[in-house]
Amino acid sequence: MSHLTLFFEPLDVLQFRDHRPFDAGLNVRAHSVFPSPSVFLGCLRTALFRQCGANFHIPDPYFGIIEGWAKEALGSRTVAGSLTLRGPLLASWDGEHVRPYFPLPLDLATLSEDRHQVLCPFRPTTLRFVGGQMQKVEGNLPWTGQIVEKKHPIALWLNQEGARIYLDAGSAPLILAQPAQAVPQESLFVREDRIGIARDGTTLTVDEGMFYVSSTFRLARGCGFAVDVWVAGQKALHAALQKLDGQVVPLGGKAHRARVRLCQGDLGLPSTASKGKRKVWLLTPAVLDLGTHPPACLATNRALPLGGYDLAARAPRPLRRALPPGTIIYLSDEGPVDLRQRFLLSSEDARAGYGTFTTGSWE
């Protein structure tokens, strides 16, 4: 067994703050974003540290733990260990199995509620506006080479069958039936706003600028988040993860909590047989250097800002721009894909779960 899958079952709404500060009188809305991989790495490290009897208030960089496997896997106050995750993915739990859902690929053009067209790299002989001027298009664009009447994209998530149909479709039109292959987002989670105040202890009135709105996720019954953990050859880590089954852990902000469920095996990422040039389907955000080996084409959306707080330095982390989940990177060659080597994905990001992907082919 090389992987164990952990399912985080929410016990309440969940809040995952975005990168923006929340200062009195300046920002009165705390936005919640889809959780980044580092959220679950931090959650899991904390739970395992506590299981080992860690004391977070002493100056020891390892918080007083003495087990060698824990030091190697969990790291220290300033250095992350070898603990390696993939995900998180939206998922459902039926009491025995974890069934993941995948972000809609960004090379799908929506034609109707269930009909879609898979795009592929195409070099059109046309002009486009660049900096207010008309210039000839250089390079490839995600296109079909023909005019299609596109509809507004629908918020969908693919299940394993839908992901397999998409990967096998090549550049052909495809039908994704709901909810057999494509699940509407509102069936999995909704956003829920909550209002909070900070009151003056003397007058019992709201402090100036401290009336705020926070955005949270409320997941449907049986839905949550799943990650898998690399445990090959790590018996002590495997045993420690087994002990987390059924435990309740803090997840995200505002002390919201989730129950951990353990499932043998990995997340079951979709795959397809190699039959030509490859394309990479990002399932989690990734900070990549696409200039090292420029891809043939890219289908993506607005970059995601990744931030966070460095507890060791007691300061915010520098913001970075990441490709969002659903991004499609078309490669100009065939064969196996290693994002970490090809696009210089950092080892720390890779261990946290950034750049989790699967591959298909394009014609």
Side-chain angles (χ1 to χ4, degrees):
M1 185 72 64
S2 59
H3 290 87
L4 286 179
T5 294
L6 301 180
F7 177 77
F8 293 81
E9 176 189 8
L11 301 182
D12 191 7
V13 297
L14 295 175
Q15 183 175 8
F16 306 100
R17 284 290 312 277
D18 64 7
H19 64 287
R20 286 171 287 195
F22 191 42
D23 298 328
L26 296 177
N27 295 294
V28 295
R29 185 173 184 87
H31 293 270
S32 194
V33 296
F34 194 85
S36 64
S38 56
V39 170
F40 290 85
L41 179 63
C43 172
L44 194 53
R45 285 182 73 205
T46 301
L48 292 174
F49 266 126
R50 285 176 172 161
Q51 187 183 112
C52 295
N55 184 344
F56 299 111
H57 303 290
I58 61 177
D60 178 18
Y62 291 98
F63 310 109
I65 63 173
I66 58 175
E67 294 90 339
W69 73 265
K71 290 183 177 181
E72 195 275 332
L74 305 181
S76 66
R77 191 184 300 272
T78 57
V79 179
S82 63
L83 187 65
T84 301
L85 277 58
R86 292 190 302 182
L89 298 178
L90 270 176
S92 60
W93 166 261
D94 62 5
E96 185 177 358
H97 300 101
V98 172
R99 293 183 171 84
Y101 299 100
F102 308 99
L104 198 68
L106 292 175
D107 66 342
L108 279 184
T110 301
L111 308 180
S112 65
E113 185 173 335
D114 60 351
R115 294 179 60 250
H116 305 268
Q117 171 69 55
V118 184
L119 308 180
C120 66
F122 185 84
R123 180 169 296 181
T125 55
T126 186
L127 303 176
R128 64 177 175 178
F129 277 103
V130 179
Q133 297 182 349
M134 296 292 290
Q135 295 183 7
K136 185 178 179 180
V137 172
E138 299 290 343
N140 295 320
L141 298 176
W143 199 25
T144 62
Q146 59 185 340
I147 297 177
V148 293
E149 292 294 329
K150 294 185 291 185
K151 304 295 182 182
H152 190 275
I154 305 170
L156 297 174
W157 292 76
L158 303 186
N159 60 19
Q160 287 176 312
E161 182 181 355
R164 179 188 56 78
I165 291 173
Y166 159 73
L167 290 173
D168 290 340
S171 58
L174 72 156
I175 294 178
L176 295 171
Q178 301 180 29
Q181 292 102 29
V183 182
Q185 182 167 286
E186 59 267 20
S187 298
L188 302 175
F189 69 86
V190 295
R191 293 182 180 273
E192 186 176 286
D193 287 346
R194 295 191 167 191
I195 298 175
I197 62 174
R199 296 194 301 177
D200 184 283
T202 303
T203 65
L204 299 183
T205 59
V206 178
D207 279 342
E208 182 178 359
M210 288 305 290
F211 178 85
Y212 61 90
V213 179
S214 61
S215 171
T216 62
F217 286 98
R218 181 173 292 280
L219 285 94
R221 182 178 296 274
C223 289
F225 299 98
V227 300
D228 69 22
V229 186
W230 177 260
V231 294
Q234 304 177 77
K235 294 183 179 179
L237 174 61
H238 188 286
L241 291 172
Q242 294 275 5
K243 294 179 183 179
L244 290 181
D245 190 21
Q247 291 193 18
V248 174
V249 297
L251 182 62
K254 293 292 184 181
H256 296 299
R257 296 179 181 272
R259 180 175 284 107
V260 179
R261 303 293 191 182
L262 191 70
C263 184
Q264 302 295 327
D266 61 20
L267 280 174
L269 301 183
S271 61
T272 186
S274 176
K275 54 182 179 181
K277 295 179 180 178
R278 313 298 285 160
K279 65 178 180 181
V280 174
W281 176 14
L282 288 183
L283 306 178
T284 61
V287 179
L288 303 178
D289 182 1
L290 299 179
T292 52
H293 295 85
C297 190
L298 188 69
T300 189
N301 209 332
R302 180 176 297 176
L304 295 180
L306 297 182
Y309 193 81
D310 189 330
L311 293 176
R314 298 182 180 273
R317 297 182 184 274
L319 284 180
R320 301 182 295 161
R321 294 193 301 174
L323 295 171
T327 292
I328 301 297
I329 305 171
Y330 302 91
L331 306 180
S332 56
D333 54 8
E334 302 179 11
V337 179
D338 185 344
L339 283 190
R340 185 170 170 181
Q341 295 297 326
R342 184 185 289 262
F343 299 122
L344 302 181
L345 179 69
S346 79
S347 58
E348 186 173 339
D349 280 350
R351 288 194 298 270
Y354 289 101
T356 299
F357 72 97
T358 189
T359 59
S361 58
W362 63 274
E363 302 170 3

